[in-house]
Amino acid sequence: MEQALKGMKVVDLSQVLAGPYCTMVLGDMGADVIKVEKYPIGDDTRTMGPYINEESYMYMMVNRNKRGMCVNLKNEAGLQVLYDLIKDADVFVENYRPGVTKKLGIDYDTLKEINPNLIYCSISGYGQTGPYSNKGGFDIMAQGLSGLIDMTGERSGNPAKVGIAIHDIAAAETAIQSILTAYIHRLKGGKGQYIDISLVDSGLAWTVWEAAAYFGKGEVARRNGTAHRVSAPYQGFKTKDGFILIGAGNQKLWENLCRHVLKKPEWIEEQRFLTNSIRAENAAELEAVMEQVLTTESSDYWLDLLDTHGIPSGPILSYDQTLNNEQIKSRDMILDYEHPVVGSMKTLGFPAKFSETPGQLVKPAPLLGQHNKEVLTELGYTPEAVEQLTDDAVLNNRPSKVEA
């Protein structure tokens, strides 16, 4: 089937997670993504395990559907290779701090002289402006600055990091939508443009309920376990043999829960639990009395009963249970494919299901410098010139049984 972004050319200088995740999604949708890795060792995630046949699974998880090069940009000839790539590129993605790109000669002002239609996307910890712009910023620092760590964890516990690199992924998703917006603008006759993406800004923009509470009545979001800030019961509860989630987030669901599941119809008229907002204010008391009932039976018992009466609920799974769950498998969220060095392997599937232009897993993550020759040949370099660039420490290829 035709892919939606077929014909889009992306040059990707980013590494680790935010940028590579962004360009992977563009590649999934059909863009020709050329990943240019730093000389001589490549993307930092290549040094992160687990490894299979010396290939990093971390690297392979976010770099499928890309062609790979390894170019020495501190060398004049290597910089010229990048400039040649930029000439007919639609999108350029990098994740350097301010000033570094100018020092390298790959800043927006320089590259737009080569290609005025270029969409240049910069992803960094704090953005290109502001007092923190020159600081190094990873996901955990972004979580700290955005207030996310302070508001995550049990009510009486220590601050906790969110279990995934949520600001990295937020920045990646923000970059994707921004790049596509700029691309549509250009298709409609507009110019190329510069896009400044910050990990902090991207994650902070998702804190909409917390911002509403603060702007509306000066309430600061605090640690609340699994409980919702303005709705109850809407959290995890202990049962006889584990924990389950219950989301009776409106009055009708609450009353059904009391009457048909918990067998406590008297709670409907109890002043502590009279309305949703009052229940939220008394969430700790509500949790305590509900768990007195819920701990009398197993998780499966309650989930079946909740489902019977149409009350949103679900299990709390460990990650291995998630990856083996029938719902996850039925949605093709686990894909099997072949890698030239690793062999048979698994990766996560495409979360968006398109009827006409679905995402496709066309190629595995590239080996280091795997497509140096292929890409440069397309740009008009002769085989002898490519070989000379390799000899001159401009290009690097990973020693492998797989031909580059």
Side-chain angles (χ1 to χ4, degrees):
M1 300 179 76
E2 185 79 4
Q3 290 187 279
L5 297 184
K6 183 179 180 181
M8 174 191 278
K9 183 175 178 180
V10 179
V11 177
D12 178 17
L13 234 67
S14 68
Q15 63 169 351
V16 187
L17 182 54
Y21 188 96
C22 163
T23 55
M24 177 187 72
V25 173
L26 298 177
D28 290 347
M29 296 297 113
D32 178 16
V33 179
I34 299 172
K35 182 176 179 69
V36 180
E37 299 184 57
K38 63 184 179 183
Y39 184 94
I41 62 172
D43 191 315
D44 283 351
T45 52
R46 289 189 182 276
T47 66
M48 302 176 188
Y51 296 95
I52 299 179
N53 295 340
E54 299 182 359
E55 291 294 316
S56 164
Y57 222 115
M58 297 278 279
Y59 174 85
M60 292 185 289
M61 282 299 297
V62 289
N63 286 291
R64 69 188 180 208
N65 286 331
K66 303 176 186 181
R67 295 193 285 171
M69 301 183 69
C70 185
V71 183
N72 185 355
L73 297 181
K74 295 180 180 179
N75 180 295
E76 186 174 335
L79 194 57
Q80 186 58 51
V81 167
L82 182 70
Y83 291 162
D84 289 339
L85 286 169
I86 291 298
K87 288 176 183 177
D88 66 343
D90 296 296
V91 178
F92 177 72
V93 179
E94 54 86 4
N95 62 350
Y96 290 102
R97 281 181 282 169
V100 176
T101 54
K102 190 170 185 63
K103 183 178 179 181
L104 289 172
I106 58 172
D107 56 294
Y108 177 59
D109 288 339
T110 298
L111 297 191
K112 76 174 181 179
E113 289 298 315
I114 299 170
N115 180 355
N117 290 319
L118 185 68
I119 296 165
Y120 187 121
C121 182
S122 176
I123 304 173
S124 61
Y126 303 101
Q128 302 297 305
T129 59
Y132 291 6
S133 60
N134 284 304
K135 286 176 171 280
F138 293 114
D139 177 85
I140 192 169
M141 290 80 183
Q143 288 194 35
L145 187 59
S146 71
L148 207 58
I149 287 180
D150 184 64
M151 69 177 76
T152 303
E154 290 301 317
R155 295 185 184 98
S156 58
N158 293 328
K161 184 179 81 70
V162 175
I164 65 169
I166 194 166
H167 276 266
D168 273 322
I169 300 301
E173 294 291 349
T174 304
I176 293 163
Q177 67 191 37
S178 302
I179 288 168
L180 294 180
T181 299
Y183 189 61
I184 292 169
H185 169 72
R186 210 189 66 185
L187 290 175
K188 292 165 68 175
K191 300 178 180 179
Q193 59 184 298
Y194 180 77
I195 303 169
D196 175 8
I197 303 292
S198 153
L199 266 66
V200 173
D201 298 349
S202 300
L204 181 61
W206 288 4
T207 61
V208 288
W209 300 143
E210 293 71 25
Y214 184 74
F215 294 146
K217 60 177 182 178
E219 181 181 293
V220 178
R222 296 301 184 194
R223 292 182 287 283
N224 206 25
T226 59
H228 198 282
R229 304 196 187 284
V230 297
S231 183
Y234 191 99
Q235 65 180 85
F237 292 94
K238 189 175 183 179
T239 67
K240 189 175 183 178
D241 60 353
F243 292 86
I244 61 171
L245 296 166
I246 298 175
N250 61 47
Q251 195 63 23
K252 182 179 179 180
L253 289 171
W254 164 245
E255 292 180 8
N256 284 341
L257 177 67
C258 291
R259 289 192 181 99
H260 304 299
V261 178
L262 302 177
K263 310 299 183 186
K264 294 287 185 179
E266 65 272 19
W267 288 357
I268 296 172
E269 302 299 328
E270 188 163 337
Q271 291 301 308
R272 292 180 300 168
F273 310 141
L274 200 59
T275 67
N276 199 13
S277 59
I278 294 174
R279 289 193 294 276
E281 290 173 1
N282 296 296
E285 293 178 59
L286 179 61
E287 179 182 348
V289 297
M290 283 183 61
E291 287 189 344
Q292 288 177 6
V293 178
L294 293 168
T295 51
T296 63
E297 299 288 352
S298 70
S299 294
D300 286 344
Y301 171 86
W302 291 117
L303 290 173
D304 287 342
L305 191 58
L306 288 158
D307 194 45
T308 298
H309 292 285
I311 297 168
S313 61
I316 297 178
L317 302 181
S318 60
Y319 193 60
D320 59 327
Q321 291 173 321
T322 296
L323 296 182
N324 288 284
N325 180 267
E326 59 183 357
Q327 174 65 20
I328 302 303
K329 289 182 176 180
S330 73
R331 296 281 294 172
D332 295 325
M333 282 306 297
I334 311 296
L335 301 178
D336 295 289
Y337 71 104
E338 290 294 318
H339 185 278
V341 172
V342 173
S344 179
M345 62 177 294
K346 295 181 183 295
T347 191
L348 296 175
F350 312 112
K353 317 301 183 186
F354 289 80
S355 62
E356 299 298 324
T357 56
Q360 297 178 33
L361 206 171
V362 177
K363 56 178 77 72
L367 306 177
L368 184 62
Q370 181 179 348
H371 301 99
N372 286 344
K373 183 177 180 181
E374 176 182 303
V375 173
L376 290 179
T377 299
E378 291 173 2
L379 294 176
Y381 287 66
T382 65
E384 294 76 19
V386 175
E387 184 175 349
Q388 187 63 54
L389 288 171
T390 304
D391 292 342
D392 292 344
V394 175
L395 305 175
N396 189 34
N397 291 23
R398 173 193 186 277
S400 171
K401 296 179 182 178
V402 179
E403 290 294 322

